[in-house]
Amino acid sequence: MPLEPAKSILSIQSHVVHGYVGNKAATFPLQCQGWDVDVLNTVNFSNHTGYGSVRGTKASSDDIQAIYDGLKTINCKYDALLTGYIPGDQALEAIGEIGRDLKQSNPDSIWLLDPVMGDEGQLYVSETVIPAYKKILIKGGVDVITPNQFEAELLVGYKIESKDTLRKALKELHNKYDVKNVAITSFKLEEGSNILAVASSKHKGIITSSLFEIPLIESYFTGVGDLFSSLLIDRIFRYTRDIKDQYYLETAVNQVLTIMAQVLKTTTEAAEKALGQAPKSKMGAASIMKECELKLIECRDIYEHTEQKFKAFAL
Amino acid sequence: MTKESNRIHRLLSVQSHVVHGYVGNSAATFPLQYRGWDVDALNTVQFSNHPGYGTFKGTRSSADDLKEIYQGLNEIGTSYDAVLTGYIPGDEGLKAVGEICKDLVRNDHHVKWILDPVLGDNGKIYVSEGNIEMYKQLLQSGYVSLVTPNQLELEVLTGVQVKDLKSLEEAITKFHELYDTIENLVVTSVQFDDDKTHLYSAGSTKINEATITHKTFHFKVPTINASFSGSGDLFSGLLTSAFFKYYDRFEGSLTNSTPIENLPLVQALNEVLTIVEKVLLLTFEYQVELYKQRGEPLPDFVKINDLKLVQSRDFFLQDLGKFEPKSFN
C-alpha cells in the first residue's frame, strides 16, 4: 500500500482545556482528514468565555514569535496556515509577520485568515484590531477570508444590506485586498429573510459569487466558525491543487455547509436531550453551556464526506 | 462492538504540549479522540517541539497557572472518567498536579488516575531526587489506579534491578509491597541483555478476594531498530482508553482462577501493544522512504523525532491484540 502523503498545517488560535472552540475545534477534524496539525495556542483557558467564568493565561506576541522561530529552527514546512481569534493588535501584528514569512518560504501554501472581530453588530475585540486586520490584508499573502456579515462590513467600511452592496463589497475584498477566496459564513440581506452563506472566488480575473440558503441554528453554539474554517481550508487545499472550473469554492463551501449541518444537528439533539429543551443563548449557566459544546468527537466519521446538500444560487 | 456504539468517555490529560510533533498531550489527545474520548488537555508547557531536536522555544505553565485553570474547570463543573498524568516539569509543577489529581479523585471516587511516572529512560534519570520522592508518595497515596513505568522507572521505584524475567517478577512483587493500594501495574517495556531482538511488557492486576493476590503476566514483542520520541505517551494514552474498554466489557468478578487471557488489563495491554507496534512500523516505513528519497543509506539505528500519528489513525480502532500473554511461572 502506498504511503499516505503527509500534509502539514500550522494553526494559530486559542486553546481551551474543556470544550471545542479555536484550536480545539479545528485540530481534530483536520487530523481526521490526514493533516499533521501544528497547534500554536494564543491563549490557554479553562473554557470559552460564554460560560461566564473563565481562567487561564494569554501568550504574549513575543511568546508567539519565539515559538515560530523555534519551528523555523527545526525546519518546519507547511502546506497551509490557519489563523483565527487573536487577542489584541500586537499579537495580530506578530501573526501577520508569521503569515507572510510562511508564504514566502512556500508560495504554494494556503493561508486562511478568519478576521474574528465580532458578530451581529457587536464588536468583541478592541477598535484597534480593525485597522490591524486591514493592514494584514493589504500587505498580501492571505488566500481565504471567512468573515461573518458584521466582520465583512467592518473590513469594507459600510453596511451590506442588498445584493448590490454585497457585490460591491465582494469586489472590494477581492480587488483592494487581493484575496482570492471569500466565504461569508452567515448573512442576512433584510430583516426576516433567510440566512445566507456566500462563496466568492476570483480565478483568472473572474469573480464567481454564489449564495446558499442555510438554516438558522448555529447562533446557539460556540466554535461553529472555527470548525467552518478548518473544514474549508482542507477543501480549498484539495480543490486548488487541481482547479477544474471556476466553481471550486462553491463546491468546497457546499460540502462544508453539509458537514456543519450534520454536526449542528447532532449537537442540537444531544443538547435537547440533556436539557429537556432547545438551548436558547450563546451565554449562560455553565450547566447549560456544557451541553452546548459541539459534538465533535461524536461526529468523527463525517469530516471526510463530500456530499453537497445545499443549492447554490448565482449572486 | 462498533466505535459508534461506545459511550463517550471523558479524560483530563495533564501533560506537555508541543506545537510540532507528537509527545505528551500532542501524542495522547488525537488517538483518544479518534477512539471516541472527549479529551480535556491541560498543557503543562507550550514548546515549539520536544527537546530531542536539540533546540526548542516556548514557555512553561507555573504551578499557579495550573491550579488556576483547574479552578476554572471546577467553576464550570466538569466531570471525568479518568485523569492521565505524564511528564510534569519541576517539583512545584508535580506538587500542583499531584494536588489537582488527588482533589479530583477525592471529589469523585469513580475517577481513575492513570499515572505515568516519568523519571527517565534508557538508564538515564532526568528528574530530581525530590521529584522521585514525590512520585513515591503519590503512588502510596491511595488515589492512583494504574501506573505505567518503564524498566528504569520500575527499578528506581522498587530498588530492584531488572535483568531477566525472574528479577522482573521480583520487581513487580516488590512494587506491590511498597505501593499496596495500586490495583493495576503495567511495565511498558523491558529489555534483557541476552535478547536484544525482543522487548517485554509486563503487568499485574490486584485480585480482591479473602486474601489479596496479584495476577502477573508478560508479553514478548519484537524490537524495531529505532528510537521513537513520544511512543511512551502514545502508549499510556491508548492504555487509558483500552483499560476502560475491557473493564466495561468484562462480566463477572475477577478471581484468582480467572485465566490471564480474560483479565481486562491483559486484553487492554495486548491491544495497545498491537496498535503501538503498527504505529511504530508505519513511522519507520516513512523514515525508510525519506532516506530513499535523499539517496542515503539507512543507518543501523535511527532516531525518529516524530511519530506518524495522523497517518496511523486507522490503527487506533484496533480491537483485541495479537500477542500471547504468558504468566510468570
Side-chain angles (χ1 to χ4, degrees):
Chain A
M1 206 172 64
L3 295 174
E4 178 186 10
K7 36 186 185 174
S8 61
I9 181 167
L10 177 63
S11 180
I12 310 180
Q13 301 193 59
S14 47
H15 173 73
V16 288
V17 176
H18 181 75
Y20 298 99
V21 304
N23 268 335
K24 272 287 283 294
T27 306
F28 180 62
L30 282 165
Q31 290 175 320
C32 286
Q33 297 179 87
W35 285 87
D36 276 305
V37 186
D38 282 12
V39 182
L40 207 172
N41 296 324
T42 53
V43 310
N44 186 19
F45 284 168
S46 54
N47 48 269
H48 71 70
T49 49
Y51 284 84
S53 72
V54 56
R55 287 178 188 269
T57 53
K58 288 181 182 173
S60 71
S61 58
D62 286 347
D63 290 342
I64 294 169
Q65 189 62 53
I67 288 180
Y68 183 69
D69 291 343
L71 296 171
K72 281 188 79 168
T73 308
I74 62 161
N75 271 322
C76 287
K77 298 267 187 286
Y78 298 102
D79 300 303
L81 170 67
L82 178 59
T83 59
Y85 170 68
I86 314 290
D89 46 330
Q90 265 192 331
L92 201 52
E93 205 168 305
I95 276 133
E97 275 168 38
I98 289 170
R100 287 187 291 278
D101 186 75
L102 195 147
K103 285 288 290 192
Q104 208 164 27
S105 59
N106 179 11
D108 288 337
S109 62
I110 290 175
W111 178 4
L112 184 152
L113 177 137
D114 187 2
V116 182
M117 294 185 275
D119 203 1
E120 291 169 9
Q122 195 99 38
L123 195 66
Y124 38 69
V125 294
S126 87
E127 293 268 355
T128 53
V129 164
I130 306 168
Y133 270 117
K134 288 183 180 172
K135 209 168 126 192
I136 289 182
L137 293 175
I138 286 286
K139 285 194 175 176
V142 176
D143 300 284
V144 192
I145 54 171
T146 54
N148 56 33
Q149 181 168 13
F150 179 56
E151 289 157 349
E153 290 172 347
L154 290 173
L155 290 175
V156 294
Y158 48 82
K159 286 257 175 205
I160 306 172
E161 287 165 322
S162 64
K163 286 193 176 175
D164 281 341
T165 45
L166 177 57
R167 258 183 231 112
K168 186 178 162 211
L170 290 170
K171 204 170 161 189
E172 208 167 312
L173 292 170
H174 283 305
N175 294 339
K176 180 177 162 198
Y177 292 119
D178 197 26
V179 176
K180 285 193 285 294
N181 303 285
V182 180
I184 304 181
T185 45
S186 71
F187 203 87
K188 227 167 155 183
L189 285 174
E190 59 203 48
E191 264 323 297
S193 72
N194 291 316
I195 305 292
L196 302 172
V198 182
S200 184
S201 61
K202 187 181 173 188
H203 180 55
K204 292 180 179 162
I206 300 164
I207 295 176
T208 308
S209 308
S210 323
L211 300 178
F212 300 91
E213 284 187 8
I214 56 174
L216 172 72
I217 47 170
E218 60 241 63
S219 64
Y220 309 137
F221 304 111
T222 308
V224 175
D226 306 326
L227 175 63
F228 181 90
S229 45
S230 77
L231 293 170
L232 186 64
I233 197 169
D234 167 75
R235 294 305 190 282
I236 291 181
F237 179 83
R238 293 191 207 185
Y239 300 133
T240 51
R241 301 290 103 170
D242 177 25
I243 297 181
K244 292 209 172 59
D245 58 45
Q246 77 221 62
Y247 298 108
Y248 69 95
L249 187 67
E250 182 186 300
T251 307
V253 169
N254 201 342
Q255 287 182 14
V256 171
L257 289 173
T258 305
I259 295 169
M260 297 292 300
Q262 184 59 48
V263 173
L264 292 169
K265 182 168 176 272
T266 304
T267 303
T268 306
E269 283 171 3
E272 281 176 0
K273 202 173 153 205
L275 300 169
Q277 57 172 11
K280 290 194 179 69
S281 160
K282 235 178 175 168
M283 297 276 294
S287 55
I288 296 170
M289 298 317 292
K290 265 193 300 177
E291 305 303 338
C292 298
E293 292 287 355
L294 293 177
K295 294 284 177 269
L296 284 195
I297 303 298
E298 288 81 346
C299 293
R300 62 197 178 279
D301 289 337
I302 68 169
Y303 301 125
E304 291 200 282
H305 288 186
T306 52
E307 288 100 306
Q308 303 177 48
K309 291 199 174 156
F310 290 89
K311 211 162 136 192
F313 302 89
L315 174 63
Chain B
M1 199 188 293
T2 65
K3 57 176 176 162
E4 285 79 15
S5 68
N6 288 348
R7 177 174 83 81
I8 300 285
H9 286 83
R10 281 180 291 215
L11 173 71
L12 178 65
S13 182
V14 189
Q15 300 194 64
S16 46
H17 170 76
V18 287
V19 176
H20 178 77
Y22 301 101
V23 304
N25 267 340
S26 304
T29 305
F30 175 59
L32 278 166
Q33 290 177 321
Y34 208 76
R35 285 162 71 91
W37 280 60
D38 265 321
V39 181
D40 283 9
L42 177 49
N43 297 330
T44 54
V45 309
Q46 170 162 248
F47 289 164
S48 55
N49 51 273
H50 68 72
Y53 274 92
T55 65
F56 68 94
K57 292 272 176 67
T59 52
R60 292 184 159 89
S61 297
S62 70
D64 285 343
D65 290 342
L66 296 173
K67 282 191 260 187
E68 175 89 5
I69 289 183
Y70 178 63
Q71 195 184 334
L73 295 173
N74 270 335
E75 281 163 0
I76 64 163
T78 54
S79 63
Y80 301 102
D81 295 291
V83 56
L84 170 64
T85 57
Y87 172 65
I88 315 286
D91 293 355
E92 285 300 308
L94 182 58
K95 199 171 155 228
V97 171
E99 281 166 19
I100 287 169
C101 296
K102 281 196 258 183
D103 188 70
L104 255 183
V105 182
R106 198 181 294 127
N107 289 326
D108 181 356
H109 287 282
H110 295 107
V111 180
K112 302 279 183 210
W113 181 358
I114 292 97
L115 185 150
D116 186 8
V118 182
L119 306 173
D121 203 1
N122 300 318
K124 228 172 84 186
I125 292 175
Y126 39 69
V127 300
S128 72
E129 261 311 307
N131 215 287
I132 296 173
E133 276 316 302
M134 240 183 274
Y135 269 115
K136 288 181 176 172
Q137 283 171 24
L138 289 177
L139 293 176
Q140 284 165 341
S141 68
Y143 291 105
V144 180
S145 295
L146 168 62
V147 194
T148 59
N150 59 27
Q151 180 169 6
L152 174 73
E153 289 154 355
L154 180 68
E155 291 176 346
V156 172
L157 292 170
T158 60
V160 178
Q161 226 204 320
V162 176
K163 46 188 193 301
D164 49 27
L165 276 177
K166 189 166 165 288
S167 52
L168 175 59
E169 191 185 10
E170 278 165 25
I172 291 173
T173 307
K174 185 76 185 173
F175 184 91
H176 288 301
E177 276 170 38
L178 293 169
Y179 314 102
D180 59 353
T181 56
I182 305 285
E183 302 213 318
N184 290 285
L185 167 71
V186 165
V187 188
T188 55
S189 70
V190 176
Q191 196 162 40
F192 304 133
D193 282 337
D194 60 0
D195 183 4
K196 291 289 181 199
T197 58
H198 291 94
L199 286 173
Y200 289 82
S201 194
S204 69
T205 286
K206 191 177 186 178
I207 306 289
N208 284 307
E209 289 183 300
T211 50
I212 287 172
T213 52
H214 295 91
K215 293 206 69 115
T216 54
F217 53 87
H218 65 270
F219 290 93
K220 188 175 174 180
V221 299
T223 52
I224 303 167
N225 248 349
S227 72
F228 301 87
S229 297
S231 54
D233 305 325
L234 171 65
F235 193 103
S236 56
L238 288 172
L239 189 64
T240 299
S241 60
F243 180 73
F244 274 80
K245 174 175 160 181
Y246 290 103
Y247 267 97
D248 287 350
R249 241 185 235 188
F250 185 76
E251 286 172 12
S253 55
L254 291 174
T255 70
N256 210 11
S257 57
T258 308
I260 56 165
E261 60 271 20
N262 291 353
L263 294 175
L265 187 66
V266 171
Q267 293 172 344
L269 179 56
N270 200 353
E271 181 178 296
V272 173
L273 289 170
T274 305
I275 298 173
V276 171
E277 183 187 52
K278 287 183 178 182
V279 174
L280 299 187
L281 284 173
L282 183 69
T283 301
F284 189 72
E285 212 181 311
Y286 271 92
Q287 199 73 13
V288 170
E289 187 61 31
L290 192 71
Y291 276 91
K292 215 186 279 174
Q293 278 171 15
R294 287 192 198 143
E296 292 171 20
L298 192 72
D300 290 339
F301 188 86
V302 217
K303 182 176 154 279
I304 298 178
N305 275 327
D306 301 318
L307 296 172
K308 288 288 171 194
L309 209 61
V310 165
Q311 294 74 17
S312 296
R313 60 196 179 279
D314 288 343
F315 301 148
F316 302 139
L317 304 178
Q318 170 85 30
D319 192 42
L320 302 171
K322 66 168 194 182
F323 296 105
E324 191 195 340
K326 295 216 167 81
S327 55
F328 273 90
N329 25 47

